[in-house]
């Protein structure tokens, strides 16, 4: 059994990376629709935007659906296991191995996105500021940053239990999670049972520590990065989206 602590940078265990997409798609996550919505949002702020960097791109499902919508789409991923899946899914794509707090690529983009609340793995305001500064440093003038936050302290539900069962690719996968408040963060314990004919049932688990930043903390990080920021309610997961535009 492997239990990585995601916020410390150990990344996803290979086994969890293998079932990650099946679980979330089974729960109804529609990457194709999200990609189309993101492209429309970006071009509404930056008409003619033709390049995009997906920070914390995971296994590359957003990349897959964003690629036809822009001339150049690249990814950045901290987990080597996730990155390998993203590369297999997107042959010929550029997926950089790197940390959102420290990456420095020799290029700029019309848009930088960071989805699925990956930004919540920043531990404090300093790390949040650092990540947003890195995003802004890779933007063209007039470019757009889109960030999907984690819950705010006022919208988080301590003690929340999530459960799902997915049948896909010959496997039955159950996922159970429990969330609790730990200081200024959400501590989430997740367990998976994976069953397939001819194999013993596999048990995997992971722990996440995701910071509960106030809305004002995100807005401050955007402003310190030199971005005009707005907050849009709703978003792919109901947690909203922060949209920042670099004016120069």
């Amino acid at each position: 059994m492997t239990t990585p602590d995601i916020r410390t940078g150990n990344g996803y265990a290979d086994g969890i990376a293998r079932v990650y997409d099946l679980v979330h798609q089974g729960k109804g996550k529609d990457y194709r629709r999200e990609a189309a919505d993101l492209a429309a949002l970006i071009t509404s702020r930056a008409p003619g935007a033709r390049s995009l960097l997906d920070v914390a791109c995971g296994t590359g499902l957003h990349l897959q659906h964003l690629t036809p919508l822009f001339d150049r789409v690249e990814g950045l991923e901290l987990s080597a296991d996730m990155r390998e899946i993203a590369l297999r899914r997107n042959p010929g794509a550029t997926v950089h191995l790197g940390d959102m707090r420290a990456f420095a690529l020799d290029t700029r983009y019309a848009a930088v996105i960071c989805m699925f609340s990956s930004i919540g793995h920043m531990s404090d305001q300093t790390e949040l500021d650092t990540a947003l500064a890195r995003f802004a440093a890779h933007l063209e003038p007039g470019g757009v940053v889109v960030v999907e936050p984690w819950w705010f302290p006022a919208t988080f539900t301590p003690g929340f239990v999530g459960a799902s069962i997915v049948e896909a690719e010959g496997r039955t996968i159950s996922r159970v999670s429990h969330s609790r408040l730990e200081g200024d963060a959400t501590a989430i314990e997740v367990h998976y049972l994976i069953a397939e004919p001819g194999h013993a049932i596999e048990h995997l688990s992971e722990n996440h520590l995701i910071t509960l930043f106030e809305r004002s903390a995100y807005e401050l990080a955007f402003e310190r990065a030199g971005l005009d920021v707005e907050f849009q309610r709703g978003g792919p997961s109901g947690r909203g989206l922060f949209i920042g535009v670099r004016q120069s």
Side-chain angles (χ1 to χ4, degrees):
M1 183 175 70
T2 303
T3 310
D5 182 340
I6 303 304
R7 196 165 77 170
T8 62
N10 293 333
Y12 286 83
D14 178 64
I16 293 172
R18 286 188 286 108
V19 300
Y20 182 87
D21 296 327
L22 298 179
V23 168
H24 289 289
Q25 286 180 296
K27 291 166 63 178
K29 190 166 180 64
D30 187 340
Y31 287 88
R32 183 186 298 276
R33 178 182 57 78
E34 290 181 18
D37 290 346
L38 280 167
L41 178 63
I42 290 163
T43 55
S44 72
R45 271 67 173 182
R50 300 313 309 159
S51 58
L52 178 145
L53 176 68
D54 185 0
V55 175
C57 67
T59 61
L61 268 170
H62 278 135
L63 285 181
Q64 184 179 50
H65 298 299
L66 286 164
T67 295
L69 306 178
F70 295 87
D71 292 339
R72 179 168 60 99
V73 175
E74 299 180 3
L76 179 86
E77 176 54 44
L78 177 62
S79 164
D81 293 326
M82 290 285 197
R83 176 176 178 267
E84 284 302 314
I85 294 173
L87 288 169
R88 291 198 298 270
R89 173 170 282 131
N90 298 277
T94 298
V95 180
H96 307 275
L97 184 64
D99 187 321
M100 71 173 73
R101 296 163 293 192
F103 71 101
L105 309 178
D106 190 24
T107 186
R108 291 189 177 189
Y109 307 85
V112 176
I113 66 171
C114 184
M115 303 300 293
F116 220 178
S117 302
S118 299
I119 196 72
H121 296 300
M122 302 298 95
S123 62
D124 55 24
Q125 185 73 53
T126 298
E127 288 197 350
L128 186 61
D129 290 351
T130 300
L132 264 297
R134 288 289 81 213
F135 298 174
H138 288 80
L139 272 188
E140 299 171 354
V144 182
V145 170
V146 180
V147 171
E148 182 178 12
W150 182 237
W151 298 111
F152 304 139
T155 56
F156 169 61
T157 304
F160 179 79
V161 173
S164 62
I165 297 178
V166 176
E167 294 184 356
E169 298 183 359
R171 287 176 283 183
T172 298
I173 305 162
S174 67
R175 178 187 185 273
V176 177
S177 65
H178 177 260
S179 302
R180 58 184 174 80
L181 185 64
E182 184 174 306
D184 64 349
T186 303
I188 308 177
E189 182 180 359
V190 187
H191 291 265
Y192 301 84
L193 290 177
I194 305 165
E196 58 183 310
H199 297 272
I201 294 175
E202 185 178 10
H203 175 210
L204 301 172
S205 67
E206 59 182 342
N207 293 310
H208 300 260
L209 195 60
I210 309 178
T211 304
L212 291 160
F213 290 109
E214 296 281 0
R215 171 175 166 176
S216 59
Y218 288 104
E219 291 170 339
L220 180 60
F222 273 81
E223 290 165 3
R224 286 175 171 170
L227 302 169
D228 295 337
V229 60
E230 63 179 289
F231 178 66
Q232 185 178 93
R233 297 185 184 278
S237 305
R239 295 187 283 268
L241 292 171
F242 285 98
I243 305 147
V245 178
R246 177 177 173 176
Q247 297 300 338
S248 60

